[in-house]
Amino acid sequence: MEIRDYLKTGKVLMFDGAMGTMLQRNGLKMGENPEIFAYKNPDILRDIHRQYLDAGTNTVLTCTFGCNELKLPEGYTVEMIIDNAVKTAREAIEESSSDKEKFVALDIGPIGEMLEPMGTLSFDRAYEIFKREVVRGVKAGVDVIVIETMMDLLEIKAAVLAAKENSDLPVFATMTFDEDGRSFTGCLPESMVYTIGGLGVDAIGVNCSLGPVQLLPIVEKICSVAQIPVMVQANAGLPSMHDGQATYDIGPDEYWEGVKKFIEAGASIIGGCCGTDPSYIKKISDNLSNVEIGDKNNEYVSAVCSPSKVVRIDEPRVVGERINPTGRKAFKEALKSGNTDYAVRLAIEQVNGGADILEINTGLPGIDERKAMVDILKEVQSVTDTPVQIDSSVVESLEAGLRYCNGRTIVNSVNGKDESLEAILPLVKKYGACVVGLTLDERGIPEKAEERVEIAKNIIKRAEEFGIRREDIYIDCLSLTVSAQQEAAYETLKAMKEVKKLGVHTTLGVSNISFGLPNRQAVNSAFLTLALDAGLDLAIINPNNERMMEAITSYKVIRNIDKGCTKFVERYSDVDNKKDVKSSTSSSEMSLFDLVEKGIKDEAKSKTIEMLKDTDENYILDEILIPALDVVGKKFEKGEIFLPQMIQSAEAVKASLTVIKENLISKNGDKKEDVSKGKIILATVEGDIHDIGKNIVKIMLENYGYEIIDLGRDVPVDKVVEKAVEENIKLVGLSALMTTTVKSMEETIKALKEKMPEVKIFVGGAVLTEDYASEIGADFYAKDAKSAVEIAKIIL
Ligand code: B1M
């Protein structure tokens, strides 16, 4: 039986339990590579698989979780590990006495490096790494591909695309979530389902993360939106460390109680993760007949999302129209020069104005539109969690947008022409997006509503033939210029009412209606209200136009959508100050503080240049840049922003620092002494990648004439010691920003003092205090860059 057929039988598909736990019991040492250990010990691996199969497992995961070209040590290839792992799993199936259906699953885990913008790995490179695993897995003859323990939505997307584009095998995909209900990078379970479920995987779910009790709310969330089978592999409770090994706090009986609840919630693929072993799997298998897979019974609601925000189209939503070069000279210039900050600024302004979704249109003759789409998409998604809609007449540009979008998007647009439908609908389906359908075809825009409805019906029919759900189609009945064709506005509204009855959603670019008229906003807002009443779901408008926003927010009050008028009151309770709030959000007038907080790099740089004309560098550093990062840090801690936004803020500070540094150099150029006052090594300690503070210290020390050997960040203990010995250094400065990395600061100090008892060490970083610094053996504590200079003066 094929695994896809098994999923239709209504029976639970059983996976195995933890591999690491079992390998450790059989001799795997702490820190040893499990894939290599298993490769060298196929008998042990076969026996573990067989134990799981005999306990009731249907599907064994190959021992290939960390088998990617970046993680494997020299001398081992992805191909040899996968071939051996699949062969051993097959042999175990042969040996097993179980009479259940049995399958081999290629296990693909995270690469182990962060993708851009959180790390340096590109999406395309990640795709290639996963592709190599998939291609070999297919060749080795696996039955299913399981992509698991993912934390980053973009990484799991790269893996799933690699699997789908290079094999016909079923694909199951799971992520891990923390107790706050988000993945490590801030992804929501619902975003995972909408984005990855849309890519055509056969099952979606969660593994690892937590024990069954803590995992239940997450499983329930997944089941509440998933339209495909749900897979769950929980840990055996929560971990604690004993003798350097993690042990988990619940046994098979309690584990089964939790698993039962997963199945009742609708999960139909079950296994175990960290801490589980064959006794857990046996307990589940023996009891499966006592429980029925619950009906997920969830009604499909069309939605778009970013990793950390889902926007359901269950009430009228605002699509911000301004990232579009049409009629915007400054944006055209920005596109030509490759400046993405302009679009980022428009994005932030529109989000502040109340956009639920941001449209991105980079259509401009003479530029590389595909590249512009990708660059702007990446930058916009780094600074805001508002989902996006992509708009282009160039198919390659749309495909690029679909591919690199972190989340689920809307494609604007197809029309009734065959050529358009055939080029775009397959892409919409492949990437699991929603689509705007324009009611025009070879004949142009029909005058009468009835004909527009006919075109809509054809678009719906064709989209459904490609497997696109009706709810994910947003029909645009097109607004024409009322001053030229006065009867046309009514036809649009009439068509919209009819189209709405077809079970699709509707969308409309509203402002066309008023071309050529004075006081356009009056007509626009009246038309918007009428359109909303005719069933408009997605209003493509300028959210920074208060009249339009007033129309939509008032409509939601009148139609009892904004329950208790909460959102209306929130927006307008301080209506007199509203103007001020609005103008302060225009980024050209934003303060440096706000630019850092929002992560707008180029403008942070220009603002710094402007400020340096009459502001002291120290003021900018101490009163603006550092406090802005403090606010960012607090928001991160509270879960109000996530890693990508924190990275953008750090980038904005770095941009500002380059200017400050250049300014100091040019100011001191003529004063600069030819002879260095002495050499100092600076490093951020191992495990810590925070280097802004260290870089400020470097700038200051250089400014005072010291020669700095900057070893960078995440610097291993040995490297610091080697360099200090090689250069016969008298003074070393170490930075650490996290409670977890103060330990490696202590180790670095210890190693330095052992090799060079006479060396002096100063330390700094937000987690340190004077007392703590001396406790870990440092000679000096530098609270800030100025103190670092004072210390250098004393020692050198
Ligand atoms: Co991260 N981060 N971060 N982060 N980050 C903190 C430090 C955090 C406090 C945020 C929070 O949760 N509130 C928290 C640590 C919690 C803790 O352990 N107590 C944290 C975390 C958890 C993380 C990650 C684990 C997040 C994640 O991945 N889930 C991850 C860590 C990765 C790693 O290191 N392995 C991470 C990543 C990042 C970014 C990459 C996004 C980015 C760093 C970019 C970069 O540095 N290139 C970043 C940022 C920007 C921050 C915050 C917001 C700002 C840090 C900063 O640059 N401050 C920070 C929150 C905060 O501190 N408000 C936070 C400005 C800088 C000038 O101050 O470094 O203190 P500071 O330097 C001062 C003084 O301390 C002193 O002088 C400087 C000037 O006055 N000083 C020295 C510092 N070093 C010195 C050395 C000296 C002398 C003086 O002599 C050698």
Side-chain angles (χ1 to χ4, degrees):
M1 185 189 276
E2 303 250 322
I3 208 162
R4 282 192 177 118
D5 294 327
Y6 187 99
L7 291 178
K8 292 180 199 147
T9 59
K11 289 191 283 182
V12 169
L13 179 72
M14 281 295 299
F15 265 67
D16 52 12
M19 176 56 75
T21 311
M22 295 297 284
L23 289 175
Q24 275 166 10
R25 284 184 198 167
N26 285 277
L28 174 76
K29 296 198 182 60
M30 276 290 283
E32 198 175 353
N33 184 315
E35 286 76 29
I36 306 299
F37 177 86
Y39 177 78
K40 288 183 182 160
N41 297 281
D43 294 345
I44 293 179
L45 181 61
R46 192 183 313 109
D47 190 52
I48 294 171
H49 286 323
R50 197 195 35 74
Q51 286 184 50
Y52 274 126
L53 287 160
D54 291 347
T57 289
N58 299 112
T59 314
V60 284
L61 279 159
T62 56
C63 186
T64 52
F65 177 79
C67 170
N68 68 63
E69 61 194 53
L70 297 192
K71 268 192 188 163
L72 286 179
E74 235 182 87
Y76 296 91
T77 64
V78 169
E79 289 71 20
M80 64 202 253
I81 300 294
I82 289 183
D83 286 353
N84 183 64
V86 176
K87 182 171 158 275
T88 312
R90 284 268 173 241
E91 286 166 3
I93 286 181
E94 292 301 311
E95 277 179 19
S96 162
S97 55
S98 152
D99 56 2
K100 290 196 163 191
E101 296 287 343
K102 299 180 208 71
F103 308 99
V104 175
L106 175 71
D107 188 357
I108 297 184
I111 293 171
E113 279 190 21
M114 295 287 234
L115 262 69
E116 293 169 339
M118 283 177 284
T120 51
L121 197 69
S122 72
F123 181 89
D124 292 339
R125 176 82 178 99
Y127 174 90
E128 289 303 325
I129 291 168
F130 289 126
K131 179 179 167 184
R132 185 167 167 190
E133 293 172 62
V134 168
V135 167
R136 199 56 182 203
V138 173
K139 198 158 180 227
V142 296
D143 304 305
V144 54
I145 296 169
V146 176
I147 295 159
E148 60 148 319
T149 328
M150 292 282 169
M151 287 172 265
D152 175 16
L153 191 64
L154 208 52
E155 183 174 357
I156 190 172
K157 183 172 177 179
V160 169
L161 285 174
K164 297 289 297 176
E165 290 176 352
N166 296 286
S167 85
D168 295 323
L169 290 173
V171 179
F172 298 176
T174 60
M175 289 182 76
T176 112
F177 299 93
D178 298 332
E179 220 161 341
D180 65 1
R182 292 176 184 266
S183 79
F184 174 68
T185 59
C187 179
L188 291 164
E190 297 91 325
S191 296
M192 170 191 74
V193 176
Y194 275 111
T195 309
I196 304 303
L199 297 176
V201 295
D202 299 81
I204 189 102
V206 49
N207 76 300
C208 201
S209 316
L210 303 157
V213 175
Q214 301 81 11
L215 208 57
L216 185 62
I218 293 168
V219 173
E220 284 170 344
K221 274 193 187 140
I222 295 173
C223 289
S224 75
V225 277
Q227 306 292 314
I228 50 177
V230 169
M231 168 164 183
V232 187
Q233 290 172 293
N235 292 340
L238 297 174
S240 52
M241 293 302 278
H242 294 286
D243 301 330
Q245 300 252 348
T247 53
Y248 289 83
D249 66 357
I250 63 169
D253 292 348
E254 216 179 314
Y255 191 78
W256 159 245
E257 289 306 317
V259 164
K260 204 166 116 189
K261 295 199 173 98
F262 298 153
I263 299 173
E264 283 164 354
S268 54
I269 305 171
I270 294 292
C273 206
C274 305
T276 58
D277 66 19
S279 65
Y280 292 69
I281 299 303
K282 181 157 180 11
K283 179 79 197 180
I284 303 171
S285 178
D286 288 350
N287 285 283
L288 272 183
S289 54
N290 302 330
V291 61
E292 277 205 4
I293 302 172
D295 189 356
K296 294 205 289 299
N297 205 12
N298 48 21
E299 210 179 297
Y300 182 74
V301 179
S302 184
V304 284
C305 66
S306 68
S308 53
K309 190 172 189 177
V310 176
V311 174
R312 290 187 171 77
I313 317 302
D314 51 2
E315 61 176 270
R317 301 288 185 184
V318 172
V319 181
E321 66 180 7
R322 295 179 61 212
I323 307 181
N324 184 334
T326 313
R328 286 188 186 89
K329 201 167 162 236
F331 187 32
K332 283 184 184 156
E333 289 310 315
L335 278 174
K336 281 184 195 153
S337 62
N339 171 359
T340 50
D341 261 27
Y342 190 86
V344 165
R345 194 148 57 81
L346 291 175
I348 291 167
E349 284 174 13
Q350 293 183 91
V351 172
N352 290 342
D356 297 303
I357 297 166
L358 291 169
E359 171 152 295
I360 298 182
N361 180 326
T362 53
L364 185 67
I367 64 161
D368 181 347
E369 211 195 299
R370 182 187 182 280
K371 181 173 181 312
M373 172 63 83
V374 174
D375 291 350
I376 289 182
L377 186 63
K378 264 193 205 166
E379 293 294 323
V380 167
Q381 291 211 298
S382 307
V383 295
T384 161
D385 61 0
T386 301
V388 297
Q389 163 166 308
I390 50 175
D391 185 353
S392 177
S393 51
V394 179
V395 177
E396 294 71 35
S397 174
L398 282 181
E399 171 148 32
L402 282 163
R403 196 166 182 87
Y404 297 106
C405 176
N406 198 358
R408 186 179 201 223
T409 183
I410 305 170
V411 169
N412 191 3
S413 56
V414 289
N415 57 50
K417 295 180 194 166
D418 272 351
E419 193 190 3
S420 162
L421 295 165
E422 273 157 28
I424 294 166
L425 290 178
L427 294 177
V428 172
K429 172 63 188 163
K430 174 179 172 187
Y431 291 99
C434 306
V435 63
V436 170
L438 307 182
T439 51
L440 63 88
D441 60 14
E442 291 78 3
R443 297 164 292 171
I445 305 174
E447 223 173 88
K448 291 289 167 205
E450 293 71 22
E451 289 169 85
R452 293 190 211 175
V453 176
E454 283 315 307
I455 297 177
K457 283 183 182 164
N458 182 41
I459 294 174
I460 297 165
K461 179 173 158 278
R462 299 290 292 275
E464 285 189 328
E465 280 165 13
F466 278 102
I468 298 166
R469 298 182 76 109
R470 205 165 259 246
E471 299 91 327
D472 290 334
I473 305 169
Y474 304 145
I475 296 293
D476 185 341
C477 293
L478 299 165
S479 52
L480 301 175
T481 307
V482 79
S483 58
Q485 292 161 275
Q486 216 163 338
E487 64 294 338
Y490 177 69
E491 291 299 323
T492 302
L493 298 175
K494 197 172 149 199
M496 198 181 319
K497 275 187 200 154
E498 288 306 309
V499 156
K500 201 61 198 270
K501 291 181 194 157
L502 302 173
V504 290
H505 285 98
T506 59
T507 182
L508 194 65
V510 177
S511 51
N512 274 357
I513 196 83
S514 62
F515 277 131
L517 287 176
N519 196 10
R520 289 185 60 188
Q521 297 317 325
V523 179
N524 287 349
S525 60
F527 185 56
L528 174 59
T529 306
L530 288 171
L532 289 165
D533 212 42
L536 177 59
D537 296 300
L538 293 186
I540 308 179
I541 58 172
N542 174 2
N544 299 104
N545 182 312
E546 206 44 47
R547 284 220 23 212
M548 298 301 266
M549 292 307 287
E550 277 167 5
I552 199 161
T553 46
S554 309
Y555 175 82
K556 288 193 190 185
V557 167
I558 294 162
R559 291 304 302 259
N560 194 17
I561 296 167
D562 179 5
K563 299 277 177 226
C565 314
T566 324
K567 293 199 176 130
F568 188 86
V569 173
E570 196 181 294
R571 190 176 175 99
Y572 295 113
S573 58
D574 199 11
V575 88
D576 292 341
N577 297 333
K578 197 72 204 162
K579 241 166 96 196
D580 293 334
V581 173
K582 237 176 71 187
S583 61
S584 74
T585 58
S586 155
S587 78
S588 50
E589 289 157 40
M590 264 187 194
S591 64
L592 181 57
F593 189 102
D594 288 345
L595 290 167
V596 169
E597 204 191 322
K598 303 281 182 214
I600 308 181
K601 282 177 286 196
D602 286 1
E603 298 210 9
K605 193 171 171 182
S606 350
K607 196 75 178 184
T608 311
I609 297 174
E610 190 190 312
M611 286 186 75
L612 281 169
K613 288 180 195 150
D614 55 10
T615 317
D616 178 59
E617 294 86 6
N618 288 321
Y619 178 84
I620 299 180
L621 276 173
D622 297 337
E623 306 298 327
I624 301 175
L625 299 181
I626 298 178
L629 279 179
D630 282 342
V631 170
V632 170
K634 287 206 179 85
K635 285 191 170 177
F636 174 77
E637 206 173 314
K638 283 194 214 149
E640 290 170 13
I641 61 163
F642 300 95
L643 206 51
Q645 287 102 316
M646 187 149 83
I647 290 172
Q648 288 305 310
S649 293
E651 292 294 317
V653 169
K654 280 188 192 165
S656 179
L657 283 181
T658 54
V659 180
I660 292 179
K661 186 175 173 182
E662 282 160 19
N663 201 57
L664 281 172
I665 293 173
S666 69
K667 254 168 68 179
N668 291 343
D670 39 345
K671 284 192 238 155
K672 201 147 193 138
E673 295 157 37
D674 288 342
V675 185
S676 151
K677 284 184 182 164
K679 276 190 208 167
I680 304 170
I681 283 182
L682 288 185
T684 301
V685 299
E686 188 161 16
D688 201 321
I689 61 161
H690 297 88
D691 64 357
I692 296 177
K694 174 195 66 81
N695 291 344
I696 294 177
V697 173
K698 179 182 172 189
I699 294 173
M700 284 295 175
L701 287 170
E702 281 178 342
N703 192 43
Y704 277 82
Y706 297 98
E707 187 185 333
I708 303 300
I709 302 173
D710 182 1
L711 298 182
R713 53 193 193 168
D714 189 13
V715 186
V717 176
D718 293 350
K719 192 169 167 192
V720 181
V721 177
E722 266 166 36
K723 198 69 188 170
V725 171
E726 188 186 314
E727 298 280 342
N728 193 19
I729 287 288
K730 291 197 177 57
L731 186 60
V732 175
L734 300 174
S735 180
L737 265 273
M738 297 195 294
T739 32
T740 45
T741 52
V742 178
K743 186 89 193 121
S744 57
M745 182 175 255
E746 187 175 5
E747 281 162 16
T748 313
I749 297 172
K750 198 165 157 240
L752 271 169
K753 292 280 181 187
E754 264 169 29
K755 266 270 169 7
M756 306 176 80
E758 71 294 353
V759 76
K760 295 291 178 217
I761 302 165
F762 67 107
V763 293
V767 272
L768 293 172
T769 59
E770 185 97 54
D771 288 349
Y772 200 70
S774 85
E775 214 175 283
I776 59 174
D779 298 292
F780 300 96
Y781 164 63
K783 131 172 138 356
D784 52 25
K786 271 173 273 159
S787 338
V789 173
E790 295 311 315
I791 294 163
K793 280 184 188 164
I794 298 170
I795 302 300
L796 302 173

